[in-house]
Amino acid sequence: MKSALGTDMLLVRKRQKEKVFLVLATLALLFSLVVLFTLIIDAFLDGLPRLNLKFLTSFPSRKPEEAGILPAMVGSIYVTVLTTLFAIPLGVGSAVYLEVYAPKNRLSAAIEASIATLGGVPSIIYGMLGLELFARVLQLGRSLLTGALTLALLVLPIVIVSARESLRTVPQSLWEAALALGATRWQALKDQILPVAFPGILTGIILTVSRAIGEAAPLIMIGALTYVAFLPRGVLSPFTTLPIQIFNWVSRPQKAFHANAAAGIIVLLAVTLSLNALSIVLRNRLEKRAPRTL
Amino acid sequence: MKVRQFLVLGLFACALLISSGALAAEKIIAVDGSSTVYPITEAVAEEFQKVYQDVKVTVGISGTGGGFKRFVRGETDINDASRPIKASEIEACQQNSIEFIELPVAFDGIAVVVNPKNTWVDYLTVEELKKIWEPEAQGKQIRWSDIRPGWPEKPITLFGPGVDSGTFEYFTEAIVGEARKSRGDYVASEDDNVLVQGVAQDEYALGYFGLAYYLGNQDILKAVPIDSGQGPMAPTPENVKNGTYKPLSRPLFIYVNRKSADRDEVEKFITFYLEHAKDLVEEVGYVPLPEKAYELALERFRKRVTGSVFGGHGATVGVSIEELLKKEAQ
């Protein structure tokens, strides 16, 4: 009897502990959700009345009610798309090399450590690198191309790490079977491994897009502008982006500009979400078509 | 298969973007520099592009110093500046054989503000402000009663711009007597709106920032008149304009690259700037120079007079309109 009661007590205590943990975990989740929603609701309350077609299709202006976000929105989309175009081949290539070809020696260990470290470098440092390397040494000036190349360097560690992760999830048996059937390493990679890993790689790209679109500091460093009353006509055009425009509006003395900033934040959220949605749709389609693995 | 298609698509998009870039040979006027002067240049650029639609003007906000770093390399045509060019910057220009034309475009005041619930402060002298802000005050809690007997025995909460700001540089030069010398234990923000909110929420607060931020928030702030020996003067646009709001009003400038000035579109832009500055400056919350000053500046530009009238001192305190005019005329 006694011992049975003891076990009961033990069980009750265990359950109590679990309940406490559940409550704590829920509170942690609620906390971040509440903060997030407060921010979003605040931006929507301030910005929604300002958000209309004219706001989306106008150029910046000294008059808050006439100012629009078109060049910043187009600039952001351009920069993000270009950044992804540069970062993916480089990032996936590096990941494939490190996972498949690299010999396990000190050099590759050093490379791996560097990549992990680069992921933690403050973004403004990349801005300084981009200014010197792309804008000045390579003579690309303060252009979209410079901005995209700088951001590509910034997001490269994320792409490499996530691509390596997804390459690792491909079963070793697939690789061995391909080689056993006489495929070269390149054939095995191209026809078997990469298609299976590709959806996972795209997840990394989604993260890349979100990171690239929110960056302002490195772009101000390389000379992205605030007032641009025209759309970029090519990769060598000057440009501005949404975070820079929002930052500028927030810091103006006239309150009407603050409403513009809030509306800009909504646009930024919408652009980020739609670029992410695009990647997710792409990933799901590829996932369906990818060869089945066992 | 999918991978290859994806790569081909990517390469194609790259090629398309790059080839379209080669076509872009446009008339672009590149302006960068002070975020304080930015709203003025933005307003001028906006109006200018309505008239000259084939010219494109871009304006950045790298700060006065950050902008000059570009300007001395010849990367920009015009630099917005909230202080005169420094000796080191003039030297860098000479090294790169860049000549510049210095043009004053407006006046800006720095407002010293308190909470509207603060009923005791009627004015502050420069000496009193110095006592509050000098580096020696660091760590000491200054109460309002320490400034003048009879005021509340409550500590003053201080708000001011961060050390990268031109306003900080000018205020310390004007009040403490040496640029960049200030106590460091105050609530600092590069975002003036944070300072506005800070002072508006604290009954015992004292802060300083650009006049435009006070004018935009008069309902939640109270400006303190400043006495520099000739009686207390409120930071009104009139007092800044007639030079009596001393020593906290300062001129704002644009610096034009001499070589760029000969380009037709830049010449038109500067002429447009000086001809329309008066109205536009007022509209964006700054104080215009007297009409005569704009005429003299235009003449200076037409004659392509290069160099700085301030001799490379950087932030220069107590420049009144008359002095500026005299310097312009020389």
Side-chain angles (χ1 to χ4, degrees), chain A residues 61 136 142 233 250-251, chain B residues 26 46 70 75 193 213:
Chain A
S61 165
R136 293 191 174 144
R142 37 171 63 194
R233 278 176 64 181
V250 165
S251 56
Chain B
E26 300 154 310
E46 188 185 353
R70 295 218 133 84
E75 292 177 0
N193 287 305
Y213 290 86

Side-chain angles (χ1 to χ4, degrees), chain B residues 17-64:
Chain B
L17 282 163
I18 287 167
S19 63
S20 67
L23 295 173
E26 300 154 310
K27 285 184 194 167
I28 293 180
I29 303 175
V31 191
D32 203 341
S34 163
S35 55
T36 309
V37 187
Y38 171 83
I40 306 173
T41 305
E42 181 197 46
V44 176
E46 188 185 353
E47 288 306 309
F48 179 76
Q49 284 174 113
K50 280 182 193 161
V51 184
Y52 302 94
Q53 288 177 352
D54 57 329
V55 184
K56 291 169 175 174
V57 186
T58 64
V59 193
I61 41 165
S62 305
T64 302

Side-chain angles (χ1 to χ4, degrees), chain A:
Chain A
M1 281 290 271
K2 249 184 192 174
S3 70
L5 193 69
T7 336
D8 270 2
M9 287 291 284
L10 218 62
L11 258 175
V12 168
R13 254 185 226 154
K14 266 188 187 167
R15 288 208 181 114
Q16 273 174 346
K17 272 185 188 163
E18 192 172 336
K19 266 185 194 159
V20 170
F21 179 72
L22 188 70
V23 170
L24 282 178
T26 318
L27 277 179
L29 177 70
L30 272 180
F31 177 74
S32 36
L33 277 183
V34 165
V35 171
L36 183 67
F37 275 97
T38 319
L39 283 174
I40 293 180
I41 290 169
D42 189 51
F44 270 81
L45 284 180
D46 291 344
L48 219 45
R50 219 17 221 105
L51 204 60
N52 51 37
L53 198 62
K54 197 167 156 263
F55 181 73
L56 295 178
T57 55
S58 296
F59 293 107
S61 165
R62 69 180 181 285
K63 296 181 185 127
E65 64 282 2
E66 279 177 22
I69 203 149
L70 183 65
M73 190 169 63
V74 173
S76 265
I77 294 173
Y78 258 87
V79 168
T80 313
V81 170
L82 274 175
T83 303
T84 343
L85 285 181
F86 292 133
I88 290 166
L90 279 178
V92 175
S94 316
V96 166
Y97 175 80
L98 285 173
E99 276 303 301
V100 181
Y101 292 99
K104 297 273 172 278
N105 57 19
R106 276 195 192 156
L107 181 67
S108 34
I111 293 178
E112 277 178 39
S114 318
I115 292 172
T117 317
L118 281 176
V121 170
S123 57
I124 191 133
I125 307 290
Y126 285 97
M128 292 163 86
L129 175 71
L131 174 68
E132 214 41 59
L133 182 62
F134 301 125
R136 293 191 174 144
V137 177
L138 295 179
Q139 299 275 310
L140 296 172
R142 37 171 63 194
S143 60
L144 268 174
L145 199 57
T146 304
L149 286 169
T150 308
L151 287 186
L153 284 187
L154 174 74
V155 298
L156 211 48
I158 313 176
V159 180
I160 296 176
V161 169
S162 64
R164 291 187 68 186
E165 288 297 327
S166 36
L167 282 172
R168 267 183 225 149
T169 59
V170 179
Q172 188 70 18
S173 57
L174 202 67
W175 176 245
E176 283 159 4
L179 291 185
L181 287 171
T184 60
R185 284 208 282 192
W186 164 239
Q187 283 173 325
L189 251 177
K190 181 181 64 138
D191 297 328
Q192 302 299 328
I193 312 294
L194 275 183
V196 176
F198 210 59
I201 294 174
L202 269 171
T203 307
I205 293 166
I206 295 173
L207 290 172
T208 312
V209 167
S210 313
R211 176 89 197 261
I213 206 166
E215 282 294 343
L219 292 179
I220 290 184
M221 195 73 212
I222 61 138
L225 301 146
T226 309
Y227 180 80
V228 181
F230 52 89
L231 297 182
R233 278 176 64 181
V235 287
L236 293 175
S237 279
F239 69 105
T240 185
T241 64
L242 287 167
I244 297 177
Q245 182 66 67
I246 292 168
F247 170 71
N248 176 258
W249 277 336
V250 165
S251 56
R252 298 283 275 254
Q254 294 85 3
K255 278 178 207 124
F257 277 114
H258 302 172
N260 284 6
I265 290 169
I266 302 175
V267 173
L268 179 61
L269 277 175
V271 171
T272 312
L273 284 179
S274 28
L275 285 177
N276 276 349
L278 195 73
S279 315
I280 291 169
V281 169
L282 212 60
R283 180 182 65 185
N284 290 348
R285 284 180 61 134
L286 288 168
E287 229 160 23
K288 271 184 211 143
R289 290 192 192 170
R292 297 287 298 270
T293 54
L294 287 168

Side-chain angles (χ1 to χ4, degrees), chain B residues 40 104-110 211-212 215 235-243 245 248-252 277-290 294 321 324:
Chain B
I40 306 173
V105 292
F107 269 97
D108 183 25
I110 294 173
L211 181 58
L215 295 176
T236 59
E238 296 73 44
N239 288 347
V240 172
K241 197 173 183 172
N242 61 30
Y245 184 63
L248 290 178
S249 40
R250 58 172 174 172
L252 304 175
K278 194 176 159 288
D279 299 325
L280 293 173
V281 160
E282 207 153 12
E283 206 182 313
V284 294
Y286 295 94
V287 181
L289 307 173
Y294 289 117
I321 306 250
L324 203 63

Side-chain angles (χ1 to χ4, degrees), chain B residues 47-105:
Chain B
E47 288 306 309
F48 179 76
Q49 284 174 113
K50 280 182 193 161
V51 184
Y52 302 94
Q53 288 177 352
D54 57 329
V55 184
K56 291 169 175 174
V57 186
T58 64
V59 193
I61 41 165
S62 305
T64 302
F68 269 128
K69 281 193 189 122
R70 295 218 133 84
F71 184 80
V72 302
R73 285 168 165 260
E75 292 177 0
T76 52
D77 302 310
I78 299 164
N79 195 49
D80 289 340
S82 63
R83 56 158 171 80
I85 190 168
K86 283 182 187 168
S88 57
E89 290 156 350
I90 296 177
E91 209 173 286
C93 278
Q94 284 162 351
Q95 274 168 13
N96 298 325
S97 12
I98 283 177
E99 289 182 292
F100 57 85
I101 306 168
E102 177 183 70
L103 302 167
V105 292

Side-chain angles (χ1 to χ4, degrees), chain B:
Chain B
M1 272 308 262
K2 285 291 116 192
V3 180
R4 183 181 292 167
Q5 276 179 12
F6 195 79
L7 282 178
V8 168
L9 196 76
L11 282 175
F12 182 71
C14 274
L16 194 78
L17 282 163
I18 287 167
S19 63
S20 67
L23 295 173
E26 300 154 310
K27 285 184 194 167
I28 293 180
I29 303 175
V31 191
D32 203 341
S34 163
S35 55
T36 309
V37 187
Y38 171 83
I40 306 173
T41 305
E42 181 197 46
V44 176
E46 188 185 353
E47 288 306 309
F48 179 76
Q49 284 174 113
K50 280 182 193 161
V51 184
Y52 302 94
Q53 288 177 352
D54 57 329
V55 184
K56 291 169 175 174
V57 186
T58 64
V59 193
I61 41 165
S62 305
T64 302
F68 269 128
K69 281 193 189 122
R70 295 218 133 84
F71 184 80
V72 302
R73 285 168 165 260
E75 292 177 0
T76 52
D77 302 310
I78 299 164
N79 195 49
D80 289 340
S82 63
R83 56 158 171 80
I85 190 168
K86 283 182 187 168
S88 57
E89 290 156 350
I90 296 177
E91 209 173 286
C93 278
Q94 284 162 351
Q95 274 168 13
N96 298 325
S97 12
I98 283 177
E99 289 182 292
F100 57 85
I101 306 168
E102 177 183 70
L103 302 167
V105 292
F107 269 97
D108 183 25
I110 294 173
V112 177
V113 296
V114 293
N115 191 280
K117 280 190 203 145
N118 181 328
T119 48
W120 56 92
V121 172
D122 40 3
Y123 68 94
L124 284 168
T125 66
V126 173
E127 272 309 303
E128 286 165 341
L129 274 176
K130 185 179 177 187
K131 199 170 154 192
I132 299 173
W133 286 98
E134 65 189 354
E136 288 74 31
Q138 173 104 19
K140 275 186 260 171
Q141 210 178 42
I142 294 192
R143 290 168 304 176
W144 282 102
S145 54
D146 295 335
I147 303 303
R148 244 181 262 172
W151 285 358
E153 288 186 17
K154 295 274 188 184
I156 309 176
T157 337
L158 294 171
F159 292 85
V163 294
D164 285 336
S165 144
T167 310
F168 169 79
E169 199 154 312
Y170 189 85
F171 184 85
T172 46
E173 170 87 34
I175 297 299
V176 182
E178 193 176 332
R180 313 189 65 77
K181 275 215 151 183
S182 166
R183 67 187 300 163
D185 52 345
Y186 63 93
V187 184
S189 174
E190 301 296 344
D191 181 354
D192 294 297
N193 287 305
V194 171
L195 304 176
V196 168
Q197 291 308 322
V199 176
Q201 278 156 23
D202 185 337
E203 194 179 338
Y204 300 102
L206 178 90
Y208 71 91
F209 39 72
L211 181 58
Y213 290 86
Y214 164 67
L215 295 176
N217 295 285
Q218 293 182 56
D219 47 333
I220 52 170
L221 296 173
K222 182 180 151 186
V224 181
I226 306 297
D227 184 355
S228 62
Q230 284 131 7
M233 286 295 166
T236 59
E238 296 73 44
N239 288 347
V240 172
K241 197 173 183 172
N242 61 30
T244 50
Y245 184 63
K246 280 194 288 190
L248 290 178
S249 40
R250 58 172 174 172
L252 304 175
F253 303 90
I254 54 173
Y255 286 81
V256 189
N257 184 320
R258 168 73 177 77
K259 234 179 251 164
S260 307
D262 287 339
R263 268 161 47 204
D264 182 49
E265 66 270 20
V266 177
E267 183 160 18
K268 277 186 182 134
F269 181 70
I270 297 297
T271 311
F272 190 92
Y273 203 127
L274 295 169
E275 278 170 356
H276 294 78
K278 194 176 159 288
D279 299 325
L280 293 173
V281 160
E282 207 153 12
E283 206 182 313
V284 294
Y286 295 94
V287 181
L289 307 173
E291 228 146 295
K292 189 86 171 63
Y294 289 117
E295 282 166 25
L296 283 168
L298 195 57
E299 204 182 305
R300 187 182 171 86
F301 176 70
R302 288 210 174 107
K303 288 186 188 156
R304 301 285 193 273
V305 183
T306 57
S308 171
V309 295
F310 295 94
H313 291 307
T316 311
V317 170
V319 185
S320 74
I321 306 250
E322 297 95 272
E323 289 168 60
L324 203 63
L325 281 174
K326 265 185 237 152
K327 284 185 173 173
E328 283 305 308
Q330 274 162 20

